[in-house]
Amino acid sequence: EDKVVQSPLSLVVHEGDTVTLNCSYEVTNFRSLLWYKQEKKAPTFLFMLTSSGIEKKSGRLSSILDKKELFSILNITATQTGDSAIYLCAVANAGGTSYGKLTFGQGTILTVHP
Amino acid sequence: EADIYQTPRYLVIGTGKKITLECSQTMGHDKMYWYQQDPGMELHLIHYSYGVNSTEKGDLSSESTVSRIRTEHFPLTLESARPSHTSQYLCASSESYDEKLFFGSGTQLSVL
């Protein structure tokens, strides 16, 4: 059974701080790892990683995947109150009937105080 | 503008009622999904569809049913709602060749 574990579960920081969110996974046939940001209700896509060691970057957010150690990190620099959200990590399975289906972690609740 | 829509956003009903949660997307995606999410918990896949007239049960057992008669429409039905069905239901869609999901805003269901 595929499994995704995120840490920490909750994080409270002040504006300007840098945070690192962790995601470890077990999957029978790895296809990709995805990060989502969930504010209010609808998760919105941040990154998809398929190759080890290649950093994806978008503004103050960046992410990297380690396929050997089976984990990914999401970094947010110079945090702002608008970064407050739940950050979800998910893995996609490439095998058979599981093709393309995502397994999600519990999420990390990030709260950024002014 | 291409998007994915869910209605209603919030629903409070009594036990035993039949309900249908609506989900429509205008992106022409073949794949559609229903996830269930409780507070502080993972999203769990309860149903998915890879195209018209194709539906499959997900990893989490659910008493709900789905149908896919049109590409853009993927409604979820509960024949007799119970308090244990209280949860948030998220609909999503994706391209045939892609695992990147686009989510709707969700329906928060409360069964009293």
Side-chain angles (χ1 to χ4, degrees):
Chain A
E1 184 180 328
D2 299 345
K3 187 177 177 182
V4 177
V5 177
Q6 292 185 245
S7 64
L9 293 180
S10 181
L11 191 55
V12 180
V13 300
H14 286 98
E15 273 193 316
D17 289 350
T18 294
V19 298
T20 298
L21 310 182
N22 303 293
C23 175
S24 63
Y25 63 89
E26 297 172 20
V27 61
T28 51
N29 194 351
F30 179 87
R31 176 175 167 86
S32 62
L33 184 145
L34 298 91
W35 285 96
Y36 283 84
K37 178 182 182 182
Q38 187 175 21
E39 298 172 276
K40 305 289 184 184
K41 298 297 181 187
T44 53
F45 173 79
L46 293 175
F47 299 112
M48 182 165 73
L49 303 117
T50 56
S51 301
S52 218
I54 297 178
E55 185 182 51
K56 292 279 183 97
K57 196 169 172 63
S58 176
R60 296 176 294 102
L61 277 67
S62 63
S63 184
I64 197 160
L65 173 67
D66 186 328
K67 289 168 76 172
K68 183 180 176 185
E69 300 297 330
L70 308 182
F71 78 89
S72 173
I73 60 171
L74 175 68
N75 276 321
I76 308 175
T77 59
T79 51
Q80 303 171 355
T81 54
D83 294 327
S84 296
I86 302 172
Y87 290 85
L88 300 170
C89 176
V91 291
N93 191 309
T97 57
S98 298
Y99 178 78
K101 289 194 294 175
L102 299 185
T103 299
F104 283 85
Q106 271 182 289
T108 293
I109 303 171
L110 174 64
T111 304
V112 182
H113 288 309
Chain B
E1 181 181 331
D3 210 338
I4 180 164
Y5 306 94
Q6 285 186 247
T7 58
R9 288 293 303 276
Y10 301 94
L11 181 60
V12 181
I13 59 166
T15 298
K17 300 291 185 184
K18 177 180 178 180
I19 60 162
T20 296
L21 308 185
E22 301 288 348
C23 177
S24 295
Q25 49 97 4
T26 58
M27 294 175 280
H29 288 167
D30 285 325
K31 291 184 182 177
M32 294 190 75
Y33 310 81
W34 277 102
Y35 283 86
Q36 187 174 337
Q37 185 182 31
D38 293 318
M41 302 297 289
E42 304 94 325
L43 276 74
H44 288 288
L45 182 68
I46 52 174
H47 298 284
Y48 62 100
S49 167
Y50 284 169
V52 172
N53 294 324
S54 152
T55 61
E56 301 286 344
K57 288 193 178 292
D59 305 318
L60 181 69
S61 176
S62 174
E63 292 165 351
S64 58
T65 59
V66 293
S67 61
R68 190 88 183 276
I69 298 172
R70 303 197 315 266
T71 298
E72 62 272 20
H73 196 213
F74 191 40
L76 181 147
T77 298
L78 275 166
E79 289 293 332
S80 180
R82 294 204 301 272
S84 61
H85 296 139
T86 293
S87 188
Q88 179 175 219
Y89 294 84
L90 285 163
C91 181
S93 69
S94 70
E95 298 270 14
S96 296
Y97 53 84
D98 197 353
E99 57 271 39
K100 177 179 156 184
L101 302 183
F102 294 84
F103 284 90
S105 296
T107 294
Q108 180 62 51
L109 173 66
S110 297
V111 184
L112 306 178

